[in-house]
Amino acid sequence: MYKLVKIANDISWIGVNDFEKERFENYIPIPNGVSYNSYYIDDEKTCIIDTVDANTTSTFVQKLKEILNGRQLDYVVINHVEPDHSNGLHEVLKYYPAVKIIGNNKSLGMLKAFDSNFPVENFIAVKEGDEIDLGKHKLTFAMIPMVHWPESMVTYDKEDKILFSNDAFGGFGGVYGGIFDDEVDLSFYKSEMRKYYSNIIGKFGAQVVNAIKKLSKLEIKYICPAHGILWRKDIGKIISIYERWAKFEPETKGVVIIYGSMYGNTAKMAEIIGLQLRECGITDIRIYDSSKTDPADVISRIWKYKGLIIGSCAHNFAVYPKIVPILHKLENYGIKNKYFGIFGNMMWSGGGVKDLKEFAAKLPGLELVAEPVEAQGAPKEADIEKLKQIAIKMAEKLNADKISD
Ligand code: FEO
């Protein structure tokens, strides 16, 4: 028997932790796992909110069967069709073929696209503000397009004032043990949530701001996302953190330095900048070797800090290959609200610094704090002075800023 995790009187968490998957969406490393949260509402009509990904479906269905204890499942709400939440539907339908599937017109198209045998006759399309009556619990629905896909929606339980928010407010990290924000090491989960936000939702900041505006009209006692821990202690705070991320607003004055270096000279340049930042009173500094740290972890840290400095050696007349995925993602996001610096190295052609300058020119939200520096081979005295200027100018900007937690 699985232990029930009660959220409220008639509502339980029946999610599953996934510690087997190496990479989320097959590219983001998740060493701390991820949970697929599903919720069961025990009422005159039975209902689950969202399902789980394919590799955890058998555990999920086992939990569902235990909690239903012979009852029929009347409804399954699909807040979001991405397979990490909808893959379990196939298995649910095997055991409960008459279950009504609640989604919206956009989600129906996607469900049919994923599965040509999708039972359309089971589907109920809801619109903004529609209500489904389970008995005591009345569920309403709000559309939050692009948080994270066009069909994304949230479900709100009027009885217990619970927002089932799907990807919104979700994070990586399994939820064994504590499940609520007041039962866990919050700094760990905040970092996992930032990693999820910055890598999965980050492009859609404007849509997140719109969604928050709409949802803030609801009285919310619990936010129950489809990944990670659940929120009940300080709902206002978590909403304001999320809004800050959506607006690309940094949390601290820190600086991320990310470099690509083949023979150590660009790495040396990064270290010179880091030491000078320290001299200028900056304490939160992270220096990453792009060949060692996964871009997803770098992106997450970039979200946290106001300062960003990228360095690259030249490789085939261009930027170093391991820097490319980071530039691609930042450009795709339209990253903004950053103080920015560029440095790099060359021997016979150049190209790294040139590409970084072109990258910066495409993103008006990156404020170049000092002239880019390109050394030939080992950085010389003149290069070192210019590298220090990047750090000094960056620190001047940061120290003049008012950024608070
Ligand atoms: Fe957790 Fe957009 O899926």
Side-chain angles (χ1 to χ4, degrees):
M1 279 291 281
Y2 288 102
K3 185 168 165 43
L4 288 184
V5 183
K6 282 267 181 196
I7 309 300
N9 275 338
D10 317 308
I11 301 182
S12 303
W13 177 84
I14 54 164
V16 180
N17 285 301
D18 184 354
F19 289 101
E20 283 175 7
K21 189 180 280 178
E22 293 275 336
R23 290 175 182 267
F24 193 78
E25 292 187 348
N26 208 17
Y27 80 104
I28 299 166
I30 44 169
N32 301 311
V34 64
S35 70
Y36 312 117
N37 296 343
S38 173
Y39 303 92
Y40 171 67
I41 306 176
D42 183 5
D43 205 336
E44 288 167 31
K45 299 280 185 190
T46 57
C47 178
I48 57 172
I49 313 284
D50 295 317
T51 73
V52 300
D53 205 352
N55 61 327
T56 54
T57 294
S58 60
T59 307
F60 170 67
V61 169
Q62 185 60 34
K63 280 189 177 190
L64 180 60
K65 280 161 53 185
E66 282 182 15
I67 203 166
L68 280 166
N69 196 22
R71 288 185 73 188
Q72 279 305 305
L73 179 64
D74 295 303
Y75 294 108
V76 49
V77 176
I78 299 292
N79 275 328
H80 177 25
V81 180
E82 192 167 8
D84 53 327
H85 308 293
S86 71
N87 259 335
L89 193 54
H90 301 280
E91 201 70 8
V92 170
L93 279 162
K94 264 192 217 165
Y95 291 94
Y96 306 101
V99 67
K100 294 289 178 201
I101 302 159
I102 298 171
N104 56 60
N105 280 327
K106 280 187 186 148
S107 48
L108 177 60
M110 291 179 179
L111 287 163
K112 281 165 40 183
F114 275 124
D115 175 8
S116 50
N117 294 318
F118 181 75
V120 177
E121 62 282 5
N122 289 33
F123 193 80
I124 299 173
V126 291
K127 301 183 298 303
E128 182 87 23
D130 279 359
E131 186 172 298
I132 296 278
D133 189 348
L134 302 179
K136 191 164 126 193
H137 295 267
K138 324 280 182 223
L139 301 180
T140 61
F141 307 91
M143 305 301 142
I144 53 163
M146 301 319 297
V147 188
H148 152 227
W149 279 10
E151 90 304 356
S152 292
M153 66 180 201
V154 295
T155 301
Y156 178 68
D157 171 40
K158 286 179 165 178
E159 173 69 18
D160 289 312
K161 317 265 185 283
I162 300 177
L163 180 69
F164 299 102
S165 62
N166 199 268
D167 274 347
F169 306 103
F172 293 124
V175 294
Y176 276 128
I179 193 161
F180 283 107
D181 51 354
D182 51 17
E183 299 174 329
V184 297
D185 169 7
L186 207 50
S187 63
F188 167 78
Y189 282 103
K190 188 176 169 193
S191 165
E192 291 289 315
M193 187 180 171
R194 185 189 306 106
K195 183 169 171 179
Y196 190 91
Y197 180 84
S198 57
N199 284 283
I200 306 288
I201 317 279
K203 182 173 175 57
F204 306 112
Q207 291 89 342
V208 172
V209 171
N210 287 339
I212 288 174
K213 206 165 156 192
K214 178 192 284 193
L215 300 176
S216 59
K217 292 178 187 137
L218 299 168
E219 184 188 352
I220 300 171
K221 282 194 181 158
Y222 304 86
I223 294 178
C224 294
H227 299 289
I229 57 162
L230 285 46
W231 306 92
R232 69 179 174 191
K233 185 167 178 241
D234 194 344
I235 299 285
K237 182 149 190 196
I238 193 61
I239 290 175
S240 95
I241 289 169
Y242 217 70
E243 190 164 24
R244 201 161 170 173
W245 290 340
K247 291 176 177 170
F248 297 87
E249 287 175 4
E251 293 168 49
T252 78
K253 298 182 176 191
V255 180
V256 174
I257 304 171
I258 172 84
Y259 68 83
S261 184
M262 286 187 282
Y263 297 105
N265 286 311
T266 314
K268 245 184 235 165
M269 297 171 85
E271 194 177 322
I272 290 164
I273 296 173
L275 286 169
Q276 186 62 45
L277 282 167
R278 170 182 166 271
E279 292 282 306
C280 297
I282 303 299
T283 50
D284 282 347
I285 303 161
R286 287 287 191 285
I287 300 181
Y288 294 113
D289 178 344
S290 62
S291 297
K292 301 284 189 310
T293 307
D294 192 275
D297 293 308
V298 178
I299 294 286
S300 182
R301 186 61 61 165
I302 288 172
W303 228 269
K304 184 172 184 181
Y305 290 169
K306 175 80 179 182
L308 171 62
I309 301 174
I310 306 183
S312 174
C313 58
H315 184 272
N316 292 349
F317 309 105
V319 75
Y320 188 60
K322 290 285 189 178
I323 291 287
V324 172
I326 294 163
L327 301 186
H328 169 78
K329 198 138 198 180
L330 294 177
E331 191 181 332
N332 177 261
Y333 286 158
I335 193 84
K336 56 187 174 185
N337 285 338
K338 300 286 172 207
Y339 297 134
F340 189 53
I342 294 172
F343 66 99
N345 212 287
M346 51 82 72
M347 182 49 66
W348 46 266
S349 73
V353 166
K354 172 182 74 65
D355 280 4
L356 288 173
K357 285 184 189 169
E358 285 172 12
F359 161 77
K362 287 184 269 188
L363 291 163
L366 294 181
E367 183 183 337
L368 205 57
V369 296
E371 273 304 302
V373 182
E374 186 169 45
Q376 185 181 25
K380 317 297 184 301
E381 213 39 58
D383 303 315
I384 291 169
E385 281 314 307
K386 287 188 207 159
L387 290 168
K388 286 182 176 175
Q389 278 306 308
I390 293 178
I392 289 165
K393 298 289 181 200
M394 174 73 75
E396 278 174 9
K397 293 269 185 193
L398 292 172
N399 287 329
D401 265 357
K402 288 186 175 52
I403 300 171
S404 59
D405 282 338

